[in-house]
Amino acid sequence: MNVQVDIEKVKKGDHIEFKNLFELFYPKLMAVACRFIDDQAAQDIVQEIFTSYWEWKETIQADNIQSFLYKWLQNRCLDHIKHQMVVKEYEAHVQIAENRINSLQNHTDANDVLKQIINQDLREIIELSVNKLPPKCAQVFRLCYFQDMTHKEIARLMHISPRTVDAHIYQALNFLRDDLKDLFVLIFMFLRMN
């Protein structure tokens, strides 16, 4: 079947010439599209190309209509593939989030879950900062936040007043806030949970 197409007539709205254009290029575009995307998506995209071409026929400037249609198809197929990748990635993230939520809901002890989630590296980062404190201040901080002792218990153990314990805690928290900056809130929450 030898179909000739007069693009100038198509531009002027000639339905017969547009039908010839469609019959000439539809199978070729479908063959190319089906190499990269599923048949239904290929059919939708190719039909959309012809529909859009008809709508924009007067403004489209193409020296080589075949190259123009193939390039258009290539771009639409790439857009479709990218969209599918985004959808699959989104679905994977949703699945991961659902699994984590289910795991959290099914776990009986929230502290155990937090201990599993919070990385050992975070504890090491805190420890590196605490090591920069004066020795007594660091000791008070560790007893309070790592050993979960009250200020009174620390005062008795270290033979210092509760106000001195308060002062050491205040000094330590101020130092850690500056030293760890953005991590401070997260770390403080971590320390209170342990």
Side-chain angles (χ1 to χ4, degrees):
M1 178 173 159
N2 191 8
V3 178
Q4 295 294 319
V5 178
D6 186 338
I7 294 300
E8 289 306 314
K9 286 185 177 179
V10 173
K11 284 185 174 188
K12 292 176 182 172
D14 188 316
H15 290 276
I16 294 171
E17 284 304 313
F18 181 73
K19 182 180 178 213
N20 289 341
L21 177 76
F22 182 85
E23 288 176 353
L24 177 63
F25 287 109
Y26 183 84
K28 294 176 182 180
L29 294 176
M30 279 297 294
V32 171
C34 286
R35 290 185 200 164
F36 305 104
I37 57 179
D38 65 81
D39 292 355
Q40 184 58 54
Q43 189 175 8
D44 292 344
I45 286 172
V46 172
Q47 287 176 1
E48 179 190 312
I49 287 172
F50 281 103
T51 302
S52 296
Y53 184 84
W54 179 255
E55 289 173 6
W56 294 95
K57 63 188 174 296
E58 295 165 9
T59 57
I60 292 174
Q61 300 295 321
D63 295 334
N64 182 330
I65 192 65
Q66 180 171 325
S67 296
F68 179 80
L69 291 175
Y70 280 129
K71 185 67 177 171
W72 197 348
L73 177 68
Q74 175 187 340
N75 290 336
R76 290 294 293 117
C77 286
L78 285 173
D79 289 345
H80 176 78
I81 292 166
K82 287 176 191 172
H83 177 72
Q84 290 304 109
M85 289 170 66
V86 168
V87 167
K88 286 178 184 171
E89 188 175 329
Y90 171 78
E91 288 172 352
H93 285 300
V94 167
Q95 187 61 51
I96 289 168
E98 286 175 355
N99 290 344
R100 285 181 180 164
I101 289 167
N102 288 338
S103 173
L104 287 170
Q105 287 174 342
N106 294 334
H107 210 285
T108 54
D109 185 359
N111 265 342
D112 287 346
V113 174
L114 286 173
K115 288 175 186 171
Q116 290 172 11
I117 292 172
I118 295 174
N119 190 312
Q120 183 60 34
D121 291 343
L122 186 58
R123 181 78 180 244
E124 289 172 13
I125 291 168
I126 297 167
E127 194 58 47
L128 287 171
S129 273
V130 171
N131 286 339
K132 296 175 190 174
L133 292 167
K136 278 197 176 185
C137 185
Q139 184 182 2
V140 168
F141 184 83
R142 285 188 188 101
L143 290 172
C144 182
Y145 288 98
F146 294 154
Q147 304 297 320
D148 204 24
M149 292 177 70
T150 67
H151 289 205
K152 286 183 181 177
E153 291 170 333
I154 296 167
R156 268 196 307 269
L157 178 71
M158 294 184 65
H159 306 291
I160 56 178
S161 73
R163 284 191 178 185
T164 304
V165 171
D166 292 343
H168 283 309
I169 295 295
Y170 181 79
Q171 179 186 355
L173 290 175
N174 278 337
F175 174 78
L176 291 174
R177 185 180 293 117
D178 290 338
D179 198 44
L180 299 172
K181 291 185 177 68
D182 297 336
L183 293 175
F184 182 77
V185 173
L186 179 64
I187 290 167
F188 185 76
M189 288 173 53
F190 164 73
L191 293 171
R192 296 310 299 168
M193 293 294 183
N194 282 301

